[in-house]
Amino acid sequence: MAGDDGVGGDGLTGALAATPLGEALAADDLARLAAAGRVHEAAAGEVLRREGEAGGTLFVLLSGEVEVVKVNGGEERRLTELGPGALLGEIGFLCGEAATATLRTRAPSRLFELPREVFLDLAAREDPAVMRLALALARVLARRLARMNERAFELCEEQARELERAGVPAASARVRDLAAFRAQLGALKF
C-alpha cells in the first residue's frame, strides 16, 4: 500500500516521526505502520470524512491544512483548522463510531491514512506497535480534553460574571444550572 504512494518508506517514516506518533512509537513501529497504510494527495476542498459517516480511518496530516466543521441547526460551523502533524479521525479509529465532525481540506494536502481494520489486524497479531499507537492517540485525546475542559471552565466564569453584572438573581434556575455545571467541570480538573 505505502509502496504505491510515491514516497519512500524512510521518508514517510520520518514524516510520521515528526507528528505526535513519534512521541510514542519507535522507528521500526512507524515503518510497519507506514507499510500498512497509504498516503493520500487531497485537493483543496476535498471532504475526507463527513459528520455522521461511518469512520474508522486515522488521518495524519503530513502537509496542507484541514478544517473541522460541524453542522448545527442546518448551519455549518468551523470548529478549528489544523496544520501538519495533526491527527484526525481518532475517535472513529479507536471506537468504531461515526464521525463527530466533517473533515475538509482547505489547501492541497498530503495525508497518511491508516484504516481501523489494519489496526485491528495488527492488534490480533499482538503487534507491539498497536499498544504504542493507542498510547499516542490517548495522549492526543487527553490533551484535547484538558484544553476543552479549561476553555469550558473559562466560558462558565465569563457567563457567571455577565449574569452577575446583569443582576440575575443567584436563586434563578439559570444561575443554579451554571453553578452546577461549573462544579462538574471543576471535578474534572484533577
Side-chain angles (χ1 to χ4, degrees):
M1 294 175 102
D4 64 356
D5 59 28
V7 176
D10 291 339
L12 180 55
T13 300
L16 291 172
T19 72
L21 297 181
E23 293 178 24
L25 282 85
D28 61 327
D29 294 334
L30 292 170
R32 284 196 309 285
L33 291 177
R38 75 179 190 98
V39 171
H40 174 76
E41 301 287 341
E46 182 176 325
V47 173
L48 302 170
R49 172 89 18 79
R50 204 168 292 286
E51 182 178 354
E53 281 183 348
T57 299
L58 176 67
F59 297 97
V60 181
L61 185 57
L62 301 174
S63 65
E65 189 176 329
V66 171
E67 65 181 347
V68 180
V69 297
K70 192 140 181 82
V71 176
N72 188 4
E75 289 191 38
E76 188 175 278
R77 181 168 180 243
R78 183 180 310 150
L79 300 178
T80 191
E81 295 175 6
L82 301 167
L87 303 180
L88 307 145
E90 64 284 343
I91 294 172
F93 181 74
L94 289 172
C95 303
E97 296 178 5
T100 58
T102 295
L103 305 174
R104 182 174 48 227
T105 58
R106 289 188 44 83
S109 301
R110 194 164 165 261
L111 301 107
F112 172 73
E113 299 179 359
L114 184 66
R116 185 169 195 266
E117 298 77 33
V118 171
F119 176 74
L120 295 175
D121 181 57
L122 292 170
R125 290 188 278 137
E126 299 181 5
D127 188 316
V130 170
M131 180 62 82
R132 290 187 280 273
L133 174 58
L135 177 61
L137 294 175
R139 284 181 182 145
V140 167
L141 290 169
R143 287 179 188 137
R144 283 187 193 156
L145 181 59
R147 284 192 312 265
M148 183 179 69
N149 287 347
E150 197 60 40
R151 182 65 182 134
F153 195 77
E154 290 169 5
L155 290 171
C156 282
E157 293 299 311
E158 289 172 19
Q159 182 67 38
R161 286 189 297 275
E162 287 179 23
L163 291 173
E164 187 177 322
R165 279 193 301 272
V168 176
S172 75
R174 190 167 178 195
V175 172
R176 284 194 322 268
D177 288 347
L178 182 60
F181 184 66
R182 286 169 56 201
Q184 289 173 336
L185 282 175
L188 294 175
K189 296 174 79 175
F190 45 83

